[in-house]
Short mmCIF file of all heavy atoms in Angstrom, two decimals:
data_model
loop_
_atom_site.label_atom_id
_atom_site.label_comp_id
_atom_site.label_asym_id
_atom_site.label_seq_id
_atom_site.Cartn_x
_atom_site.Cartn_y
_atom_site.Cartn_z
N ALA A 122 -44.85 -14.37 0.24
CA ALA A 122 -45.46 -14.46 1.50
C ALA A 122 -46.50 -15.61 1.53
O ALA A 122 -46.80 -16.17 0.47
CB ALA A 122 -46.16 -13.12 1.85
N ARG A 123 -47.05 -15.88 2.69
CA ARG A 123 -48.02 -16.97 2.83
C ARG A 123 -49.27 -16.61 1.98
O ARG A 123 -49.95 -17.48 1.44
CB ARG A 123 -48.39 -17.31 4.28
CG ARG A 123 -47.18 -17.76 5.11
CD ARG A 123 -47.60 -17.97 6.56
NE ARG A 123 -46.51 -18.36 7.41
CZ ARG A 123 -46.01 -19.60 7.53
NH1 ARG A 123 -46.66 -20.56 6.99
NH2 ARG A 123 -44.99 -19.81 8.39
N GLU A 124 -49.60 -15.31 1.96
CA GLU A 124 -50.66 -14.86 1.22
C GLU A 124 -50.25 -14.78 -0.28
O GLU A 124 -49.15 -14.26 -0.54
CB GLU A 124 -51.20 -13.51 1.64
CG GLU A 124 -51.52 -13.45 3.16
CD GLU A 124 -50.42 -12.98 4.03
OE1 GLU A 124 -49.22 -13.02 3.44
OE2 GLU A 124 -50.53 -12.82 5.19
N ASN A 125 -51.02 -15.34 -1.16
CA ASN A 125 -50.64 -15.34 -2.63
C ASN A 125 -50.42 -14.00 -3.25
O ASN A 125 -49.76 -13.80 -4.23
CB ASN A 125 -51.64 -16.12 -3.38
CG ASN A 125 -51.64 -17.57 -3.06
OD1 ASN A 125 -50.67 -18.14 -2.64
ND2 ASN A 125 -52.82 -18.23 -3.12
N ASP A 126 -51.08 -12.91 -2.60
CA ASP A 126 -51.00 -11.61 -3.20
C ASP A 126 -49.83 -10.73 -2.69
O ASP A 126 -49.84 -9.57 -3.04
CB ASP A 126 -52.35 -10.85 -3.12
CG ASP A 126 -52.66 -10.60 -1.62
OD1 ASP A 126 -52.07 -11.25 -0.78
OD2 ASP A 126 -53.54 -9.72 -1.32
N SER A 127 -49.02 -11.32 -1.84
CA SER A 127 -48.01 -10.50 -1.18
C SER A 127 -46.60 -11.16 -1.28
O SER A 127 -46.54 -12.39 -1.51
CB SER A 127 -48.40 -10.22 0.29
OG SER A 127 -49.57 -9.69 0.42
N TYR A 128 -45.59 -10.35 -1.09
CA TYR A 128 -44.21 -10.89 -0.99
C TYR A 128 -43.42 -9.95 -0.06
O TYR A 128 -43.83 -8.85 0.27
CB TYR A 128 -43.58 -10.91 -2.44
CG TYR A 128 -43.33 -9.50 -2.96
CD1 TYR A 128 -41.95 -8.94 -2.94
CD2 TYR A 128 -44.27 -8.73 -3.59
CE1 TYR A 128 -41.68 -7.74 -3.39
CE2 TYR A 128 -43.99 -7.52 -4.09
CZ TYR A 128 -42.66 -6.95 -4.01
OH TYR A 128 -42.44 -5.72 -4.46
N TYR A 129 -42.26 -10.46 0.28
CA TYR A 129 -41.32 -9.70 1.10
C TYR A 129 -40.19 -9.20 0.24
O TYR A 129 -39.56 -9.98 -0.55
CB TYR A 129 -40.72 -10.51 2.24
CG TYR A 129 -41.75 -10.90 3.32
CD1 TYR A 129 -42.40 -12.11 3.38
CD2 TYR A 129 -42.05 -9.94 4.34
CE1 TYR A 129 -43.29 -12.43 4.34
CE2 TYR A 129 -42.98 -10.27 5.37
CZ TYR A 129 -43.59 -11.51 5.32
OH TYR A 129 -44.57 -11.79 6.29
N GLU A 130 -39.90 -7.96 0.36
CA GLU A 130 -38.76 -7.42 -0.34
C GLU A 130 -37.56 -7.33 0.60
O GLU A 130 -37.73 -6.72 1.72
CB GLU A 130 -39.03 -5.95 -0.85
CG GLU A 130 -37.80 -5.34 -1.52
CD GLU A 130 -38.05 -3.87 -1.94
OE1 GLU A 130 -37.93 -3.09 -1.01
OE2 GLU A 130 -38.36 -3.54 -3.07
N VAL A 131 -36.44 -7.91 0.36
CA VAL A 131 -35.26 -7.86 1.15
C VAL A 131 -34.34 -6.87 0.49
O VAL A 131 -33.71 -7.25 -0.56
CB VAL A 131 -34.61 -9.31 1.28
CG1 VAL A 131 -33.43 -9.22 2.17
CG2 VAL A 131 -35.68 -10.29 1.80
N ALA A 132 -34.08 -5.85 1.13
CA ALA A 132 -33.17 -4.80 0.61
C ALA A 132 -31.87 -4.82 1.32
O ALA A 132 -31.90 -4.75 2.60
CB ALA A 132 -33.78 -3.39 0.71
N TYR A 133 -30.80 -5.09 0.63
CA TYR A 133 -29.47 -5.19 1.30
C TYR A 133 -28.56 -4.24 0.47
O TYR A 133 -27.72 -4.74 -0.25
CB TYR A 133 -28.99 -6.62 1.17
CG TYR A 133 -27.71 -6.96 1.95
CD1 TYR A 133 -27.56 -6.48 3.28
CD2 TYR A 133 -26.69 -7.69 1.46
CE1 TYR A 133 -26.49 -6.76 4.08
CE2 TYR A 133 -25.58 -7.94 2.18
CZ TYR A 133 -25.46 -7.46 3.43
OH TYR A 133 -24.34 -7.76 4.16
N LYS A 134 -28.75 -2.97 0.80
CA LYS A 134 -28.10 -1.93 -0.03
C LYS A 134 -26.79 -1.39 0.66
O LYS A 134 -26.74 -1.38 1.96
CB LYS A 134 -29.06 -0.81 -0.41
CG LYS A 134 -30.19 -1.35 -1.29
CD LYS A 134 -31.14 -0.27 -1.62
CE LYS A 134 -32.28 -0.79 -2.50
NZ LYS A 134 -33.23 0.23 -2.95
N ALA A 135 -25.96 -0.85 -0.07
CA ALA A 135 -24.70 -0.32 0.45
C ALA A 135 -24.82 1.23 0.56
O ALA A 135 -25.46 1.91 -0.14
CB ALA A 135 -23.55 -0.59 -0.51
N ARG A 136 -24.21 1.65 1.67
CA ARG A 136 -24.15 3.11 1.87
C ARG A 136 -22.62 3.51 2.03
O ARG A 136 -22.09 3.22 3.09
CB ARG A 136 -24.88 3.53 3.17
CG ARG A 136 -26.36 3.50 2.99
CD ARG A 136 -27.07 3.84 4.28
NE ARG A 136 -26.79 2.91 5.32
CZ ARG A 136 -27.24 3.08 6.59
NH1 ARG A 136 -27.94 4.18 6.94
NH2 ARG A 136 -27.00 2.16 7.50
N LYS A 137 -22.08 3.94 0.96
CA LYS A 137 -20.69 4.30 1.03
C LYS A 137 -20.45 5.73 1.50
O LYS A 137 -21.05 6.64 1.02
CB LYS A 137 -20.06 4.18 -0.43
CG LYS A 137 -20.05 2.74 -0.99
CD LYS A 137 -19.45 2.67 -2.31
CE LYS A 137 -19.41 1.27 -2.85
NZ LYS A 137 -18.77 1.14 -4.19
N GLN A 138 -19.64 5.81 2.50
CA GLN A 138 -19.33 7.15 3.04
C GLN A 138 -18.05 7.67 2.47
O GLN A 138 -17.04 7.08 2.52
CB GLN A 138 -19.16 7.03 4.60
CG GLN A 138 -18.99 8.43 5.20
CD GLN A 138 -18.79 8.27 6.77
OE1 GLN A 138 -18.76 7.17 7.26
NE2 GLN A 138 -18.63 9.38 7.45
N THR A 139 -18.19 8.95 1.96
CA THR A 139 -16.96 9.49 1.38
C THR A 139 -16.50 10.75 2.18
O THR A 139 -17.39 11.40 2.85
CB THR A 139 -17.16 10.01 -0.06
OG1 THR A 139 -18.30 10.92 -0.03
CG2 THR A 139 -17.50 8.89 -1.01
N VAL A 140 -15.24 10.96 2.33
CA VAL A 140 -14.77 12.05 3.16
C VAL A 140 -13.83 12.92 2.27
O VAL A 140 -13.29 12.44 1.28
CB VAL A 140 -13.97 11.55 4.42
CG1 VAL A 140 -14.90 10.89 5.27
CG2 VAL A 140 -12.84 10.65 3.98
N ILE A 141 -13.63 14.14 2.66
CA ILE A 141 -12.67 15.03 1.98
C ILE A 141 -11.33 14.82 2.69
O ILE A 141 -11.17 15.03 3.90
CB ILE A 141 -13.14 16.51 2.11
CG1 ILE A 141 -14.49 16.67 1.53
CG2 ILE A 141 -12.13 17.36 1.35
CD1 ILE A 141 -14.69 16.28 0.17
N SER A 142 -10.33 14.46 1.92
CA SER A 142 -9.00 14.25 2.40
C SER A 142 -8.36 15.58 2.79
O SER A 142 -8.15 16.43 2.00
CB SER A 142 -8.08 13.61 1.41
OG SER A 142 -6.74 13.56 1.82
N ALA A 143 -8.08 15.82 4.13
CA ALA A 143 -7.57 17.06 4.60
C ALA A 143 -6.05 17.18 3.94
O ALA A 143 -5.64 18.36 3.73
CB ALA A 143 -7.49 17.07 6.09
N LYS A 144 -5.46 16.04 3.80
CA LYS A 144 -4.05 16.12 3.29
C LYS A 144 -4.08 16.62 1.85
O LYS A 144 -3.36 17.57 1.48
CB LYS A 144 -3.35 14.75 3.34
CG LYS A 144 -1.93 14.67 2.83
CD LYS A 144 -1.42 13.26 2.85
CE LYS A 144 -0.02 13.29 2.32
NZ LYS A 144 0.56 11.92 2.26
N ASN A 145 -5.01 16.03 1.01
CA ASN A 145 -5.10 16.52 -0.35
C ASN A 145 -5.61 17.94 -0.43
O ASN A 145 -5.16 18.71 -1.34
CB ASN A 145 -6.09 15.61 -1.11
CG ASN A 145 -5.55 14.17 -1.34
OD1 ASN A 145 -4.35 14.06 -1.19
ND2 ASN A 145 -6.38 13.24 -1.55
N LEU A 146 -6.52 18.31 0.49
CA LEU A 146 -7.03 19.67 0.49
C LEU A 146 -5.88 20.69 0.72
O LEU A 146 -5.78 21.71 0.12
CB LEU A 146 -8.13 19.86 1.49
CG LEU A 146 -8.89 21.20 1.57
CD1 LEU A 146 -9.53 21.50 0.20
CD2 LEU A 146 -9.89 21.24 2.65
N MET A 147 -5.01 20.36 1.71
CA MET A 147 -3.86 21.22 2.08
C MET A 147 -2.91 21.32 0.91
O MET A 147 -2.35 22.35 0.59
CB MET A 147 -3.24 20.68 3.31
CG MET A 147 -1.91 21.43 3.63
SD MET A 147 -2.22 23.15 4.00
CE MET A 147 -2.76 23.07 5.72
N GLU A 148 -2.66 20.15 0.22
CA GLU A 148 -1.67 20.14 -0.87
C GLU A 148 -2.19 20.87 -2.10
O GLU A 148 -1.40 21.65 -2.77
CB GLU A 148 -1.28 18.65 -1.25
CG GLU A 148 -0.49 17.99 -0.15
CD GLU A 148 -0.25 16.49 -0.54
OE1 GLU A 148 -0.81 16.07 -1.59
OE2 GLU A 148 0.45 15.84 0.20
N LYS A 149 -3.45 20.69 -2.49
CA LYS A 149 -3.95 21.17 -3.70
C LYS A 149 -4.67 22.51 -3.61
O LYS A 149 -4.72 23.34 -4.54
CB LYS A 149 -4.86 20.16 -4.40
CG LYS A 149 -4.08 18.84 -4.77
CD LYS A 149 -5.04 17.83 -5.38
CE LYS A 149 -4.27 16.52 -5.68
NZ LYS A 149 -5.17 15.55 -6.36
N HIS A 150 -5.37 22.73 -2.47
CA HIS A 150 -6.08 24.01 -2.27
C HIS A 150 -5.87 24.54 -0.85
O HIS A 150 -6.83 24.63 0.00
CB HIS A 150 -7.62 23.77 -2.55
CG HIS A 150 -7.94 23.25 -3.89
ND1 HIS A 150 -7.97 24.04 -4.95
CD2 HIS A 150 -8.14 21.92 -4.34
CE1 HIS A 150 -8.34 23.30 -6.00
NE2 HIS A 150 -8.34 22.05 -5.65
N PRO A 151 -4.65 24.96 -0.53
CA PRO A 151 -4.37 25.48 0.86
C PRO A 151 -5.16 26.69 1.20
O PRO A 151 -5.35 26.91 2.36
CB PRO A 151 -2.89 25.74 0.79
CG PRO A 151 -2.54 25.93 -0.66
CD PRO A 151 -3.49 24.94 -1.41
N GLU A 152 -5.64 27.45 0.17
CA GLU A 152 -6.38 28.65 0.52
C GLU A 152 -7.66 28.44 1.11
O GLU A 152 -8.31 29.34 1.69
CB GLU A 152 -6.48 29.52 -0.81
CG GLU A 152 -7.48 28.96 -1.77
CD GLU A 152 -7.07 27.82 -2.61
OE1 GLU A 152 -5.82 27.36 -2.41
OE2 GLU A 152 -7.83 27.32 -3.50
N LEU A 153 -8.19 27.15 1.01
CA LEU A 153 -9.53 26.76 1.52
C LEU A 153 -9.46 26.22 2.93
O LEU A 153 -10.45 26.18 3.63
CB LEU A 153 -10.21 25.81 0.64
CG LEU A 153 -10.56 26.16 -0.82
CD1 LEU A 153 -11.15 25.01 -1.62
CD2 LEU A 153 -11.49 27.43 -0.81
N MET A 154 -8.27 25.82 3.41
CA MET A 154 -8.19 25.22 4.62
C MET A 154 -8.57 26.22 5.81
O MET A 154 -9.31 25.76 6.74
CB MET A 154 -6.69 24.80 4.92
CG MET A 154 -6.32 23.51 4.14
SD MET A 154 -7.32 22.06 4.72
CE MET A 154 -6.58 21.78 6.34
N SER A 155 -8.14 27.40 5.79
CA SER A 155 -8.40 28.33 6.89
C SER A 155 -9.90 28.71 6.91
O SER A 155 -10.52 28.97 7.96
CB SER A 155 -7.52 29.57 6.77
OG SER A 155 -7.72 30.18 5.60
N GLU A 156 -10.49 28.75 5.66
CA GLU A 156 -11.90 29.19 5.62
C GLU A 156 -12.87 28.14 6.07
O GLU A 156 -13.93 28.42 6.60
CB GLU A 156 -12.22 29.60 4.10
CG GLU A 156 -13.55 30.16 3.98
CD GLU A 156 -13.83 30.57 2.49
OE1 GLU A 156 -12.88 30.46 1.71
OE2 GLU A 156 -15.02 30.92 2.17
N TYR A 157 -12.52 26.85 5.82
CA TYR A 157 -13.42 25.77 6.13
C TYR A 157 -13.05 24.78 7.23
O TYR A 157 -13.70 23.76 7.37
CB TYR A 157 -13.71 24.97 4.79
CG TYR A 157 -14.46 25.75 3.81
CD1 TYR A 157 -13.86 26.48 2.79
CD2 TYR A 157 -15.87 25.76 3.88
CE1 TYR A 157 -14.63 27.18 1.94
CE2 TYR A 157 -16.64 26.48 3.02
CZ TYR A 157 -15.99 27.21 1.94
OH TYR A 157 -16.74 27.94 1.06
N THR A 158 -12.04 25.19 7.97
CA THR A 158 -11.65 24.20 9.09
C THR A 158 -12.74 23.99 10.13
O THR A 158 -12.93 22.88 10.58
CB THR A 158 -10.36 24.78 9.83
OG1 THR A 158 -10.31 26.08 9.63
CG2 THR A 158 -9.19 23.99 9.63
N LYS A 159 -13.46 25.07 10.46
CA LYS A 159 -14.50 24.97 11.52
C LYS A 159 -15.91 24.90 11.00
O LYS A 159 -16.86 24.97 11.77
CB LYS A 159 -14.28 26.07 12.52
CG LYS A 159 -13.00 26.03 13.24
CD LYS A 159 -12.92 27.17 14.26
CE LYS A 159 -11.60 27.17 15.11
NZ LYS A 159 -11.50 28.27 16.09
N VAL A 160 -15.97 24.78 9.77
CA VAL A 160 -17.34 24.75 9.08
C VAL A 160 -17.75 23.39 8.66
O VAL A 160 -16.86 22.65 8.35
CB VAL A 160 -17.42 25.75 7.86
CG1 VAL A 160 -18.78 25.79 7.25
CG2 VAL A 160 -16.92 27.14 8.28
N LYS A 161 -18.99 23.07 8.73
CA LYS A 161 -19.41 21.74 8.24
C LYS A 161 -18.99 21.47 6.87
O LYS A 161 -19.01 22.35 6.02
CB LYS A 161 -20.95 21.68 8.42
CG LYS A 161 -21.42 21.67 9.85
CD LYS A 161 -22.90 21.50 9.94
CE LYS A 161 -23.43 21.50 11.38
NZ LYS A 161 -24.91 21.38 11.43
N ILE A 162 -18.62 20.23 6.62
CA ILE A 162 -18.11 19.81 5.31
C ILE A 162 -19.17 20.03 4.19
O ILE A 162 -18.84 20.21 3.05
CB ILE A 162 -17.61 18.40 5.31
CG1 ILE A 162 -16.59 18.12 4.14
CG2 ILE A 162 -18.70 17.40 5.26
CD1 ILE A 162 -15.31 18.95 4.28
N GLY A 163 -20.44 19.99 4.59
CA GLY A 163 -21.49 20.21 3.65
C GLY A 163 -21.40 21.53 2.93
O GLY A 163 -21.77 21.72 1.81
N GLU A 164 -20.94 22.60 3.68
CA GLU A 164 -20.84 23.92 3.20
C GLU A 164 -19.77 24.01 2.12
O GLU A 164 -19.79 24.66 1.07
CB GLU A 164 -20.63 24.98 4.26
CG GLU A 164 -21.85 24.96 5.20
CD GLU A 164 -21.66 26.17 6.19
OE1 GLU A 164 -20.93 27.09 5.92
OE2 GLU A 164 -22.31 26.06 7.28
#
């Protein structure tokens, strides 16, 4: 920065969003599909 005791931090970070594949869930764990279809994925 113009002041000798300061600086600017430029943060350019990534936020990767991951999702649960409904197709994979149906193929590998069909018993969970009916229980979690209407529930938030966080649960």
Side-chain angles (χ1 to χ4, degrees):
R123 295 179 187 272
E124 304 90 352
N125 291 330
D126 64 341
S127 303
Y128 71 98
Y129 290 98
E130 178 188 78
V131 181
Y133 189 47
K134 298 181 179 179
R136 288 181 294 177
K137 294 183 180 180
Q138 183 182 1
T139 58
V140 295
I141 304 299
S142 169
K144 182 181 177 183
N145 290 342
L146 185 61
M147 175 61 83
E148 290 176 355
K149 297 180 180 180
H150 301 279
E152 75 281 2
L153 298 178
M154 283 297 289
S155 59
E156 185 180 352
Y157 288 94
T158 18
K159 295 183 179 179
V160 183
K161 291 181 179 179
I162 202 65
E164 296 189 23

